[in-house]
Amino acid sequence: MLAFMLAGPAGHAQLNFGVKGGVNIATVKFDNVLEADNITGFQLGPMIEYVKPSTGWGMDVALLFTQKGCELKERTIKSNYLEIPLHVKWKLMTPLLKPYFAAGPYFGFRTGGRKIWDISGLYNNVSNQLKAGDFSSGLNFSVGVEALGLLQVGLNYGLGLTDNFKTFDTDNLAAYKGKIRTWSISAAVLF
């Protein structure tokens, strides 16, 4: 973000603050061993956006409280995270509606929810416990539109890169690891 700020005079840039919220539809992709279904969670928190109107290029950063996880044979596995998405963003700078595309990494820290779930009897040759990791990271890909410089509505896909959940094969103690995959629909009100 510092590079964008230094690239031109401050008068030629837009710095927006806002509040972002939305719905997450998340699941966990295990190593083709456990079949996980989607769960619904939410996200909410402050955001900052910096865009140069002359080029449409900029960045946004948020601090979101978010819920993610999965469902394993009707057993809900859900954790709360404090997540920091860092996006490079491009907007088509039209007067009323500004379509945008954004992509970048996110970093999450588990703040709540259970650390260990009992999954005994759900799967053959799988240990009785599923353990949640404390850190998550991945890549976000977003598309959306901004209306009147006040409201942004977007669709986001989060591709988890870290192993957020782990269990073991009881026969050979090989680890089965799970990465979070999330679709999000969000809205942000800009000030």
Side-chain angles (χ1 to χ4, degrees), residues 59-165:
M59 296 187 76
D60 73 29
V61 178
L63 181 63
L64 302 174
F65 176 82
T66 184
Q67 293 179 322
K68 296 181 179 181
C70 66
E71 190 170 285
L72 296 174
K73 294 191 177 180
E74 299 181 11
R75 214 165 274 176
T76 300
I77 311 296
K78 189 181 283 189
S79 286
N80 301 328
Y81 294 89
L82 190 60
E83 194 168 275
I84 304 167
L86 308 167
H87 297 145
V88 173
K89 183 180 260 186
W90 179 78
K91 282 188 200 178
L92 180 61
M93 301 303 284
T94 54
L96 298 177
L97 295 177
K98 297 179 173 97
Y100 69 83
F101 301 93
Y106 70 84
F107 307 96
F109 304 91
R110 196 175 68 77
T111 60
R114 295 170 68 183
K115 176 81 173 171
I116 297 174
W117 286 269
D118 179 15
I119 59 169
S120 57
L122 295 183
Y123 300 95
N124 294 333
N125 300 330
V126 174
S127 71
N128 294 334
Q129 292 184 340
L130 180 71
K131 183 177 178 183
D134 291 327
F135 175 76
S136 69
S137 67
L139 295 174
N140 281 331
F141 304 94
S142 301
V143 61
V145 66
E146 179 181 304
L148 304 172
L150 300 173
L151 177 68
Q152 291 181 355
V153 177
L155 176 66
N156 184 76
Y157 179 70
L159 175 67
L161 298 177
T162 55
D163 296 324
N164 300 94
F165 295 94

Side-chain angles (χ1 to χ4, degrees), residues 1 4 8 15 17 23 65 86 132 137-138 159 166 180 185:
M1 186 173 279
F4 280 103
L15 182 63
F17 297 91
V23 176
F65 176 82
L86 308 167
S137 67
L159 175 67
K166 188 187 322 183
I180 293 178
I185 299 170

